[in-house]
């Protein structure tokens, strides 16, 4: 039975289905799989991963995410391909393995700017998030970034330790912003749910070592490549920034060809 809590349909199709793994957020400014699907006229159902509801309050394990996504949608037939974007690529090989065990044949694996989840990427994401909180002064934002940098440096490779400190700093920033805007502090928890869920997603990915699994996939990368692309069996690079990779028509045409059995 298809779980509506695990997957969101991006398009309808009659022949088979494709799964796309990425953090599901409507507020993220970079292009997502929804834009990619809009550029393709393809007779396949596309499904986008949803985050486990409990990830808004707890940091979940990689196994819990994979269990959540393992109940794949079958309304569109067999799963022919699994796509991942950025850290979503970390989960994709393990999901491919699970699907192969169930349906008896292996889905194709396409990796868009594959990137492992490391403490330095958590710091970068925190910095970008805090810099967008315009109600805080420049000095306040800078201090938060400095504190997050120190916390991440002290944590070393301990992603969970860094994640706990970063969440605490983010919630402090949101509390200050709410007070200045005279907003109800009761709503702070609801406001920070997306960030907590995102950190949970990164923390779970940090448990996995996807490099061997990436060797069976094709990497489609933006200008400058990506940290994980060298592990793929083939890399196709496009002259576009990472934020626009999934809304580039050349990328969409290449994906269409690859999923139709073609090769570039």
């Amino acid at each position: 039975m298809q779980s509506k809590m695990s997957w969101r349909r991006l398009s309808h199709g009659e022949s088979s289905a494709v799964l796309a793994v990425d953090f599901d957020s409507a507020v993220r400014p970079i292009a997502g799989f929804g834009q990619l699907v809009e550029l393709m006229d393809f007779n396949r159902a596309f499904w986008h991963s949803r985050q486990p509801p409990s990830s808004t309050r707890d940091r979940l394990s990689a196994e819990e995410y994979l269990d959540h996504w393992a109940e794949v949608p079958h309304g569109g037939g067999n799963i022919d391909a699994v796509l991942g974007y950025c850290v979503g690529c970390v989960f994709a090989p393990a999901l491919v393995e699970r699907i192969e065990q169930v349906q008896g044949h292996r889905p194709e694996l396409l990796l868009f700017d594959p990137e492992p989840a490391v403490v330095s990427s958590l710091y970068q994401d925190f910095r970008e998030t805090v810099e967008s909180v315009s109600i805080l002064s420049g000095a306040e934002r800078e201090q938060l970034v400095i504190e997050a940098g120190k916390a991440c440096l002290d944590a070393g490779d301990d992603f969970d330790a860094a994640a706990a400190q970063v969440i605490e700093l983010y919630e402090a920033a949101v509390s200050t912003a709410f007070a200045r805007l005279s907003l109800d502090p009761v709503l702070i928890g609801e406001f920070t749910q997306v960030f907590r869920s995102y950190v949970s997603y990164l923390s779970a990915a940090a448990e996995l070592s996807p490099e061997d699994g990436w060797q069976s996939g094709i990497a489609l990368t933006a200008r400058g490549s990506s940290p994980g692309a060298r592990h793929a069996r083939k890399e196709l690079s496009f002259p576009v920034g990472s934020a626009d990779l999934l809304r580039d028509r050349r990328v969409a045409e290449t994906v269409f060809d690859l999923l139709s059995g073609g090769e570039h």
Side-chain angles (χ1 to χ4, degrees):
M1 181 183 299
Q2 180 262 321
S3 171
K4 292 182 180 179
M5 296 301 294
S6 300
W7 298 96
R8 175 170 60 89
R9 188 192 290 270
L10 297 180
S11 71
H12 293 267
E14 298 177 0
S15 58
S16 56
V18 173
L19 305 183
V21 184
D22 187 19
F23 185 75
D24 193 19
S25 172
V27 299
R28 198 174 61 176
I30 64 177
F33 282 110
Q35 287 96 321
L36 182 71
V37 170
E38 289 175 358
L39 295 173
M40 294 191 294
D41 182 16
F42 210 42
N43 188 29
R44 296 191 189 183
F46 272 74
W47 298 85
H48 192 293
S49 59
R50 289 182 180 273
Q51 306 310 303
S54 55
S55 68
T56 60
R57 63 177 186 273
D58 302 315
R59 291 201 306 279
L60 306 180
S61 68
E63 199 69 15
E64 287 174 298
Y65 276 87
L66 292 168
D67 287 346
H68 177 70
W69 292 326
E71 194 174 2
V72 297
H74 291 287
N78 285 330
I79 307 301
D80 283 349
V82 174
L83 283 52
Y85 176 75
C86 194
V87 172
C89 296
V90 174
F91 296 101
L95 189 57
V96 164
E97 294 287 346
R98 290 194 177 206
I99 293 169
E100 182 180 21
Q101 292 174 8
V102 172
Q103 69 181 20
H105 65 89
R106 189 177 184 85
E108 293 292 331
L109 177 62
L110 301 186
L111 308 165
F112 296 81
D113 274 354
E115 182 177 334
V118 293
V119 171
S120 59
S121 62
L122 173 64
Y123 165 74
Q124 178 65 26
D125 289 334
F126 174 82
R127 188 179 72 179
E128 292 175 0
T129 301
V130 166
E131 287 177 349
S132 69
V133 185
S134 58
I135 192 66
L136 299 179
S137 70
E140 287 171 324
R141 294 196 298 270
E142 182 180 2
Q143 183 59 34
L144 284 165
V145 169
I146 290 172
E147 290 181 31
K150 183 179 184 306
C152 289
L153 186 63
D154 290 346
D157 294 331
D158 188 341
F159 198 99
D160 282 348
Q165 291 299 309
V166 164
I167 287 175
E168 192 172 301
L169 287 168
Y170 179 73
E171 290 181 341
V174 171
S175 295
T176 300
F178 266 54
R180 288 187 186 162
L181 293 170
S182 299
L183 298 175
D184 189 345
V186 174
L187 300 176
I188 290 175
E190 182 177 336
F191 190 85
T192 58
Q193 282 182 352
V194 172
F195 186 75
R196 292 183 68 90
S197 182
Y198 181 63
V199 173
S200 172
Y201 172 77
L202 294 180
S203 184
E207 298 176 13
L208 301 173
S209 299
E211 290 80 9
D212 288 345
W214 283 348
Q215 292 177 13
S216 68
I218 296 177
L220 296 91
T221 60
R223 188 184 300 113
S225 188
S226 66
R230 63 187 177 87
H231 296 287
R233 66 179 173 88
K234 182 175 184 179
E235 179 180 0
L236 304 173
S237 186
F238 298 85
V240 61
S242 184
D244 296 316
L245 183 67
L246 294 180
R247 57 172 155 246
D248 187 272
R249 187 166 295 279
R250 292 161 297 187
V251 175
E253 290 172 353
T254 301
V255 172
F256 182 96
D257 288 347
L258 291 172
L259 296 184
S260 299
E263 188 70 47
H264 278 235

